[in-house]
């Protein structure tokens, strides 16, 4: 289910079937974005991949098809 919204897309709460862990999936629609915008998004993914800090959400993976970029992140729930 949708847990957030940003400028480029939506964030969903999902189950990683491989690990049985809950994750956040940031879905970004690529339709209508310029190739430069897509390259910028991919650079941002590379930065997130390299970050290691207890206060930063952990990168879990990504997938991309012709019209959608899915970035899988650690799910952090605040109560």
């Amino acid at each position: 289910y949708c847990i957030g919204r940003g400028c480029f897309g939506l964030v969903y709460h999902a189950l990683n079937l491989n690990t049985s862990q809950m994750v956040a999936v940031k879905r970004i629609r690529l339709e209508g974005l310029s190739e430069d915008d897509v390259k910028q998004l991919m650079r941002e993914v590379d930065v997130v991949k390299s970050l290691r800090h207890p206060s930063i959400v952990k990168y879990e993976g990504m997938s991309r098809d012709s019209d959608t970029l899915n970035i899988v992140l650690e799910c952090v729930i605040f109560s």
Side-chain angles (χ1 to χ4, degrees):
Y1 60 91
C2 184
I3 59 173
R5 179 181 307 267
C7 293
F8 289 106
L10 302 171
V11 179
Y12 295 91
H13 195 226
L15 175 65
N16 180 330
L17 296 176
N18 294 325
T19 65
S20 298
Q21 291 181 300
M22 296 308 293
V23 293
V25 179
K26 190 178 205 178
R27 282 195 79 142
I28 302 168
R29 291 191 45 85
L30 301 176
E31 183 181 341
L33 295 180
S34 70
E35 192 57 36
D36 285 342
D37 288 339
V38 174
K39 286 179 185 176
Q40 177 65 30
L41 283 170
M42 297 308 291
R43 282 192 294 270
E44 289 180 26
V45 169
D46 287 338
V47 169
V48 171
K49 280 187 203 179
S50 68
L51 300 175
R52 304 280 186 271
H53 190 277
S55 298
I56 297 175
V57 172
K58 181 181 169 195
Y59 171 86
E60 299 285 344
M62 67 154 257
S63 67
R64 179 182 174 186
D65 60 30
S66 61
D67 63 343
T68 307
L69 173 64
N70 295 298
I71 305 169
V72 182
L73 304 164
E74 171 186 32
C75 187
V76 180
I77 304 294
F78 296 99
S79 52

